[in-house]
Structures are given as C-alpha cells and as structure tokens.
Amino acid sequence: MSPYAVDELILGSTDAVRVPVIGHALCAGFPSPADDFIEGALELPRWLVPNPPATFLMQIRGESMRGAGIHDRDLACIDRSLRAEDGSVVVAVVDGQLSCKRYRIVGNRARLDFDNPDMPAFAVDEYGEVELWGVLRFSIRWHLARGRLS
Amino acid sequence: MGCAALLDPLAPGARAAVVSGPPLGGGRALALIDGNSFYCSCERVFDPKLARVPVIVLSNNDGCAIARTAEAKALGIKMGDPWFKIRQQCQREGVRVFSSNYTLYGDMSARTNAVYRDFSPAVEIYSIDESFLDLSDVRDRDRVTLARDLRATVRAWTGIPTCVGIGPTKTLAKLANHIAKTIPDMDGVCDLTDPVAYDHWLCRISVAEVWGIGRASLAKLIGLGVDTVADLRDLDPRPVRKAMTVVGERIIYELRGLACLPLELMPAQRKGCAVTRSFSRRITERETLEQAVAAHATRLGEKLRRGGLGTTHVSVFYHTSEHDRGDPMRSVSTTVTLPEATNDTLALIKAAQAGVARTWREAPSERPWRYSKAGVVTTDLKLLEDAPRALIGQLDRQRSAPLMAAMDACNARFGRGAVVPARAGLTEKRTWSTKFEMRTPR
C-alpha cells in the first residue's frame, strides 16, 4: 500500500455535508432497545460523503461484526447507492430488523455472515432472497472512555 | 362532450399567452412527483417490520390521522379522523400508529429533492412531499423513461416510494400524478404531454379530481352538467369566471395546456405566520395561558428572525373545545398593535400578554372555561429592514438584535428551549405542552 500522495487530496472541496444521525440503532448482535437513541448530525467532508441524499448515519448495537473492526456504539455510515459485492459490509433486513452483516457470494447465491470468531459463520440459515438496505462506507469509533455523541 | 376537441388557444375568451406549435403546451413539460403516504413511508424506511402492515401518522398533539398507508386506507381510516375515534379500531386491527416526527420527515424530504435536482435543472418544492420538476428539455419520447429512472433512484437511495405525473401545465401534471397513483397499471408514472394519453384520460377522470376544484365549485360544475375533466376543459371560460372567479377560468386554460401557473423556484416571501397548539390537558388558570401564549410568541419570534421578517400586529386567540359538549364555551381573539415592525421575542411576548390581559375573564369557580387551544398569529409580515421606523415609541433595535441573535444561537446549539424568556416557562415544567407519545426516535 502506498502512502497518500499530496495530490490525491481533493483541494478546494472544503464544503462539508451535514448528515443527520438517524435515531434507530443498527443491530449487530442483539436487538436494540428502541427508546435509546442519539440526536444530532455530523459535519463530514464531501469526499467522505460523495452522495449525501443516499447517506445515513446509524449507531451500531452489539459485537457481531467485531472481526470487521465494528463495535458496539460505533457510528456506521451507510450509502444506499452502493452496490454490494462479495465481502462488503452491508445493512440487511433480518427478521424484520436492520442489521449489520458481511455479504458473501458463494457460487451464485448470496449469504449473510457474522464477523465474530465467537459466533457461527452464517447469520441466516435459509437465505432465499436477501433484502439489502445499504452498504457501509465507513464507521466511526469513539476512543474516549466516556466519549458519546450527543 | 367530445374528447377529440383539443386545445384551441384562440377560442373565445382565451386571454392567457397564446402558444403555437406542436402538441400541448408548446413542448413545455412539468412533472409533479410526490411521496406515497410520505410520512408513513419515512417511518417504514427505518423499520422493515412496518412493510405491508397498516401504518398511520398522527398530527401534532396526536390529534388526528394525517398520513395513512394503502393498508390503513383499506381499513376505512380517513384523512383527518380524530385519534380518539379510531384508537380502538387501530388496536383491534393492529395498525401501527406514530406521532409525527417532523425532523425525520424534513430530512427525508431534503434527500428526495436532492435526487430530483440530479434529474431536472429547475425544481419547485411545493410542499414537504411534493415537487414540480421542469422536464421541458427532455425529448417527448424519453420523458416516461426518465420518470421511471427517477422513481427507481429515489426508491433505491432514500427508500421512499413515489409517483410521477407529467403534463404541459401544473394542473395537468397534478392530474397525471393522480392517475399514476390510483391506476395500478400505470406503474407510478403518467404522461399527459402525450396526446393519446391526454385524450384517453381526460374523459375518464371525474372533475372532482382537478386541482383547485373544491366542494363549492364542484356543486356549481355539476349543476352545469360537468362530469369529467374533459367537460370542464371544454366549457367557455368566461361564464365560468362569473361562477367560479378567475381561479376557475385559469383551471380551464391550464387543462387546455396553456400554462397560467409558473414554476416558482424561489420560495414566496411569507405573508403570515401562526404558532398555535392544542394543550395536552384543558387549562383554566390565567397564569398557564399566559405562559403558553408567551411560549408561542417566543417560537413566532424565532420563525420571523429566520426570514428577517417583522410584524406590527400580533393576534392572540384561545378557545374551549368543541368536543366538550355541555361545558361553557368561550372563544376569544384579539389583535394588539405594536409601535413599529419587530421580531423581538420580548416585544412579541409583551404584545401577546397584553392580548390575554385585555380578554381574560374570571369565570365562576364551579363552571370555569376549560380552554383547549391557544395561538399567536401575524398576517402582515414585512422585511424588517424595509419597514418604516416609528416616530414615537421606537423599539430599541440596537440592543434587541444581538440579544435575540445570542438566544437563537444558544437554542440552535443546545436544543430548542435551552434559553427562553422566563415568561414562557421552563420546558420541563410545561404541563400544558404538546403531546408526542408515539414519536419515533430522531
């Protein structure tokens, strides 16, 4: 991997995009308590959010995506205009809930996996139609012990 | 009446701009796109369990149903049905009920409009869930394809299902949207710039569906023997003007493909502004009413300052509920004149409370008036910088502007109600404030 070259930075595009944080939590392990939510919005640079109308921020709940470096209470940035590929981290509809999963294409079938060595590989046994909600572009993690977005 | 008679811009009485050339509207094409059961669809985007179940959204204060999915409509729930009347039915039928969450709906509306702007150079945001798009630059035969692409993109990117109606005028675009929405075979798109579709639909759709035809006009039109949209289009506009004013005349021209309503790209300056709320419980004490009115005046001040507007009159009203049969009824409205145009919250509160002081009546204690709603209203907004200054009783703008700016900044940063005038009461202690018992998190 080559380090960033200066000319790769998009100069002059300092305009920020305001992306609201949607109050619904994103299930990655256990169902979320519905009343617990955060409010507000983040100002993100446009190069991180190339398609604002399709971009949503939601809070992760649970540890089932630990292997992807996504942990409980992280903030996921989801782009609904991206197409999922083998290996994408996606938001899918599982049991009527929005949940964060690893998307795999095995042969000509799609599969949703957990990404946590302590958990079984597949999240869904019977996968006829997988309904995808969006694809994760990146996630944000607070490292301050009491750090919380509010 | 026949449907073949197409537009004749030179018909007697035709006074709008005459358009010559090919088919309708001289190549002009406007699309009206709107979200299906928009508020309900917003709730559905984030909760897949709501798909295919009946969902309704209630107005402020959980008063009445203001958005219903197709499943809820099928249960017979009507627009504006009061919550207390349909509560039991909703519980019985498993209807999912939500308090309105305008922060969420506003965000989703902004997203859909951002997508529309990728498809059209000119977008008029008509309401939170409806926009007009100028598609005149798109070739006739490509318009439907583009509309389908637009619908699919909005659905994929935002999750909101939409319908698109295209026509040479706003009135025809609105009619096309109605057709797209109600005729399943249309698959969500209807193009009335296509002469075949125009001839086909206008004699099949009831005149009641035309934009701007209210109940009173409808009765008059039926009296004239008008049944379909085509019948209305073929009326002589001049007698219609007598019966239904210039609005009725304009509708006829618009149905003929002559645009009378331009695309409004800049939001029109607000002429009036109202802040009104129902109380969460009936109130009888003067102090509580004064507090509520002060809070409304505070909100009014915020709204005016955002537009740089000021007012010279503040009207205050409060009344008992029409549902409280048998209780003493009282409805009060009064207008207080300010020395000069202002948007200073403190001046507005003072005016609003003067209105209460002027109209308050102590009731005999065994039969008090139980007030259900109060509001402050202004109708004469003007740009503050253009408003003439008063010779006598000038308000101190030098001092007020920075104070109000500081208050607005605090409230923007820490949430509405962080800094309020003491007269409006602290947010947590407002026992009368609006209910949002079933609101989704935002």
Side-chain angles (χ1 to χ4, degrees):
Chain A
M1 290 287 277
S2 66
Y4 261 87
V6 175
D7 62 1
E8 279 184 272
L9 294 173
I10 304 158
L11 294 171
S13 70
T14 50
D15 54 336
V17 181
R18 198 176 151 79
V19 187
V21 178
I22 302 295
H24 294 256
L26 194 51
C27 173
F30 45 86
S32 57
D35 56 344
D36 191 300
F37 62 91
I38 45 181
E39 274 189 57
L42 289 190
E43 309 269 337
L44 297 170
R46 184 167 283 276
W47 63 268
L48 270 179
V49 185
N51 194 1
T55 303
F56 296 82
L57 289 173
M58 285 191 215
Q59 199 182 35
I60 295 279
R61 275 312 170 80
E63 289 285 344
S64 71
M65 291 302 288
R66 208 170 68 199
I70 301 171
H71 299 267
D72 190 37
R73 290 182 181 262
D74 284 1
L75 210 52
C77 177
I78 304 134
D79 189 334
R80 286 178 55 104
S81 64
L82 292 177
R83 181 185 288 273
E85 293 164 14
D86 182 34
S88 295
V89 177
V90 299
V91 175
V93 178
V94 178
D95 296 332
Q97 274 221 322
L98 297 184
S99 20
C100 192
K101 293 281 180 293
R102 182 76 77 175
Y103 182 77
R104 292 281 181 210
I105 297 171
V106 184
N108 55 3
R109 305 192 73 174
R111 197 175 83 188
L112 295 173
D113 288 0
F114 293 119
D115 200 337
N116 183 332
D118 303 338
M119 295 175 125
F122 342 176
V124 188
D125 285 338
E126 287 301 318
Y127 33 86
E129 248 335 65
V130 170
E131 192 187 333
L132 293 185
W133 195 90
V135 175
L136 252 73
R137 198 174 262 287
F138 59 88
S139 58
I140 300 174
R141 172 153 190 74
W142 261 254
H143 291 277
L144 283 176
R146 278 141 58 91
R148 250 206 92 170
L149 189 71
S150 59
Chain B
M1 292 183 201
C3 307
L6 262 183
L7 79 157
D8 178 6
L10 299 175
R15 301 205 286 120
V18 173
V19 182
S20 60
L24 283 158
R28 202 173 112 110
L30 297 176
L32 178 66
I33 176 164
D34 72 341
N36 304 345
S37 318
F38 183 69
Y39 296 169
C40 298
S41 294
C42 291
E43 301 287 351
R44 274 180 167 169
V45 170
F46 302 100
D47 187 352
K49 283 201 182 86
L50 299 176
R52 288 177 291 278
V53 302
V55 179
I56 64 171
V57 171
L58 301 177
S59 63
N60 264 342
N61 229 7
D62 296 345
C64 56
I66 50 169
R68 309 151 299 150
T69 61
E71 297 83 358
K73 289 174 192 170
L75 291 173
I77 297 171
K78 300 267 180 311
M79 198 71 173
D81 272 355
W83 171 229
F84 69 87
K85 279 196 180 153
I86 54 173
R87 179 177 222 143
Q88 288 193 326
Q89 184 194 6
C90 288
Q91 281 161 357
R92 199 171 56 236
E93 312 263 16
V95 178
R96 297 291 309 274
V97 182
F98 292 89
S99 303
S100 34
N101 182 345
Y102 287 107
T103 314
L104 175 67
Y105 310 151
D107 172 52
M108 296 304 283
S109 172
R111 290 170 186 273
T112 55
N113 279 297
V115 181
Y116 303 160
R117 281 191 202 95
D118 285 349
F119 282 77
S120 167
V123 176
E124 175 191 335
I125 301 172
Y126 183 71
S127 71
I128 191 164
D129 64 338
E130 293 172 288
S131 293
F132 285 103
L133 276 61
D134 190 347
L135 299 184
S136 305
D137 294 342
V138 183
R139 282 183 305 184
D140 293 355
R141 61 174 183 279
D142 292 338
R143 280 182 197 135
V144 171
T145 316
L146 179 109
R148 294 204 188 286
D149 191 15
L150 172 60
R151 279 189 83 213
T153 308
V154 173
R155 184 70 198 250
W157 290 9
T158 70
I160 300 289
T162 54
C163 282
V164 187
I166 307 169
T169 64
K170 280 187 169 178
T171 306
L172 284 168
K174 183 99 180 167
L175 191 70
N177 180 279
H178 167 77
I179 297 165
K181 188 149 281 158
T182 47
I183 313 283
D185 284 351
M186 304 303 290
D187 201 17
V189 177
C190 174
D191 181 8
L192 290 179
T193 62
D194 172 4
V196 177
Y198 177 87
D199 281 348
H200 176 84
W201 288 114
L202 260 68
C203 48
R204 283 175 175 77
I205 303 288
S206 159
V207 71
E209 304 302 339
V210 174
W211 194 27
I213 300 291
R215 206 174 291 170
S217 316
L218 188 61
K220 284 180 198 157
L221 288 171
I222 290 171
L224 289 169
V226 171
D227 179 24
T228 67
V229 182
D231 295 341
L232 173 61
R233 174 199 62 197
D234 297 335
L235 284 184
D236 182 355
R238 275 178 307 181
V240 170
R241 183 172 192 166
K242 283 209 189 85
M244 293 168 51
T245 75
V246 67
V247 177
E249 189 186 19
R250 198 177 63 198
I251 290 171
I252 294 180
Y253 289 125
E254 284 251 322
L255 289 176
R256 292 178 182 186
L258 294 171
C260 306
L261 301 167
L263 211 57
E264 281 170 18
L265 301 180
M266 291 296 288
Q269 192 200 310
R270 298 177 85 125
K271 294 194 182 68
C273 187
V275 181
T276 74
R277 297 280 185 278
S278 297
F279 302 120
S280 56
R281 57 176 178 85
R282 303 284 185 258
I283 66 155
T284 53
E285 320 83 34
R286 173 171 177 172
E287 202 181 326
T288 319
L289 177 67
E290 283 180 338
Q291 211 179 70
V293 163
H296 296 347
T298 306
R299 185 84 190 93
L300 181 72
E302 283 169 17
K303 286 185 172 191
L304 298 191
R305 288 195 292 279
R306 206 174 304 146
L309 301 167
T311 183
T312 53
H313 294 88
V314 176
S315 300
V316 182
F317 74 83
Y318 52 98
H319 57 68
T320 55
S321 170
E322 56 188 24
H323 298 298
D324 296 346
R325 299 267 159 73
D327 280 2
M329 311 283 266
R330 186 161 186 250
S331 176
V332 173
S333 169
T334 184
T335 300
V336 180
T337 306
L338 293 152
E340 64 175 353
T342 184
N343 56 25
D344 180 311
T345 292
L346 302 177
L348 297 173
I349 289 180
K350 218 167 133 188
Q353 301 213 317
V356 173
R358 192 191 284 171
T359 52
W360 180 262
R361 286 231 307 265
E362 287 302 331
S365 57
E366 66 276 14
R367 284 186 50 87
W369 289 295
R370 298 166 65 243
Y371 297 109
S372 65
K373 188 173 187 175
V376 288
V377 182
T378 60
T379 51
D380 64 333
L381 298 184
K382 44 189 70 111
L383 280 174
L384 200 57
E385 55 197 38
D386 297 345
R389 298 301 312 257
L391 288 174
I392 301 162
Q394 229 177 54
L395 300 169
D396 189 351
R397 279 190 198 168
Q398 238 82 53
R399 239 188 65 201
S400 119
L403 175 62
M404 290 302 121
M407 202 166 87
D408 290 344
C410 283
N411 287 333
R413 172 129 186 228
F414 300 108
R416 185 180 296 158
V419 182
V420 291
R423 302 299 316 246
L426 290 174
T427 318
E428 301 89 86
K429 294 193 178 156
R430 289 179 187 166
T431 54
W432 43 268
S433 186
T434 305
K435 297 180 279 198
F436 288 106
E437 284 169 0
M438 293 163 285
R439 181 153 68 188
T440 38
R442 39 182 194 165

